[in-house]
Amino acid sequence: MPPAPLGPDRQRLAEELEEYARRAPERRSVTERLLALLALPADTFARSHLDPGHFTASAFVLCPERRRLLLIRHPKLGRWLQPGGHIEPSDESLLAAARREVREETGVEPLTALEPGIFDVDVHLIPANPREGAHAHFDVRYAFVAPREELTVSSEVKAARWVELEAVAGLNDEESLARPVLGLTSRLFSSRHPR
């Protein structure tokens, strides 16, 4: 019997994406793109899968008081983004990959899930670079709360910092970041002020 493949469980990810699509019907078209990529027979978790792209995982991490968001300065793109990155064969799930990326880039752990399951999905283009051509990142995102604000910034990123939620757009106003930050803000506001 051949060994079980390493990496995330495709069936479990498909179920998580379907559950996310039920909770966020306005993101159904993007979710369908991720499900289509997942259905391909190739290893779409591998960084080398460039056509049309590959899965990545990232994390929207709130400080313990839930007022600030953890952002990293991406070394290649030069922009402030949420921590995240490529899937490794040892990652049991995209959730595990997101947690690992936060730990590796900023030293923040352990993380508490803000809500169960996928928080957001996004497909964004990555420009060509000397190692690889232009391709897309099919990003699966999770939301967490950090136990403390202490950061240990790794050499994988240029910088990391906590940013007030309302100040994130001043550092990066791209829809890929602004939309989930708005979602976080509305969730936090509605939980503090029940209707």
Side-chain angles (χ1 to χ4, degrees), residues 1-9 89:
M1 176 187 291
L6 295 176
D9 180 317

Side-chain angles (χ1 to χ4, degrees), residues 177-194:
L177 184 61
R179 183 190 69 265
V181 168
L182 181 61
L184 279 173
T185 305
S186 66
R187 281 175 175 83
L188 294 171
F189 180 77
S190 65
S191 68
R192 290 184 185 150
H193 303 285

Side-chain angles (χ1 to χ4, degrees), residues 136-150:
H137 279 179
F138 291 71
D139 200 30
V140 178
R141 296 146 163 210
Y142 299 89
F144 301 103
V145 178
R148 61 194 161 282
E149 292 189 42
E150 180 182 338

Side-chain angles (χ1 to χ4, degrees), residues 10-191:
R10 287 174 176 263
Q11 181 60 40
R12 185 168 74 174
L13 179 56
E15 291 167 2
E16 291 172 2
L17 287 166
E18 288 292 352
E19 173 58 29
Y20 171 75
R22 283 189 285 280
R23 287 186 286 113
E26 71 282 1
R27 301 293 294 157
R28 183 71 191 187
S29 65
V30 177
T31 306
E32 290 294 338
R33 292 179 66 191
L34 275 81
L35 287 165
L37 182 70
L38 187 61
L40 294 176
D43 183 2
T44 54
F45 298 115
R47 181 181 192 143
S48 59
H49 191 274
L50 300 179
D51 185 19
H54 48 262
F55 282 97
T56 56
S58 65
F60 285 78
V61 182
L62 293 168
C63 73
E65 296 80 26
R66 301 178 184 204
R67 296 188 332 257
R68 289 177 297 284
L69 183 69
L70 179 58
L71 295 179
I72 57 105
R73 182 94 171 155
H74 194 280
K76 294 177 185 163
L77 301 175
R79 296 190 306 240
W80 287 99
L81 302 169
Q82 74 278 9
H86 293 96
I87 311 305
E88 295 184 2
S90 59
D91 292 326
E92 294 180 3
S93 65
L94 272 66
L95 174 63
R99 288 178 185 275
R100 175 186 50 74
E101 287 288 343
V102 172
R103 183 182 66 252
E104 288 177 358
E105 294 176 351
T106 69
V108 175
E109 66 177 336
L111 298 169
T112 301
L114 183 65
E115 60 186 31
I118 295 169
F119 166 67
D120 186 62
V121 295
D122 192 68
V123 178
H124 48 270
L125 296 178
I126 301 299
N129 64 58
R131 289 188 351 187
E132 52 196 16
H135 60 282
H137 279 179
F138 291 71
D139 200 30
V140 178
R141 296 146 163 210
Y142 299 89
F144 301 103
V145 178
R148 61 194 161 282
E149 292 189 42
E150 180 182 338
L151 301 176
T152 305
V153 181
S154 82
S155 60
E156 290 185 25
V157 300
K158 286 186 175 181
R161 65 190 262 205
W162 294 101
V163 178
E164 296 289 333
L165 285 168
E166 61 273 7
V168 170
L171 294 174
N172 182 340
D173 64 355
E174 295 171 9
E175 191 267 346
S176 179
L177 184 61
R179 183 190 69 265
V181 168
L182 181 61
L184 279 173
T185 305
S186 66
R187 281 175 175 83
L188 294 171
F189 180 77
S190 65
S191 68

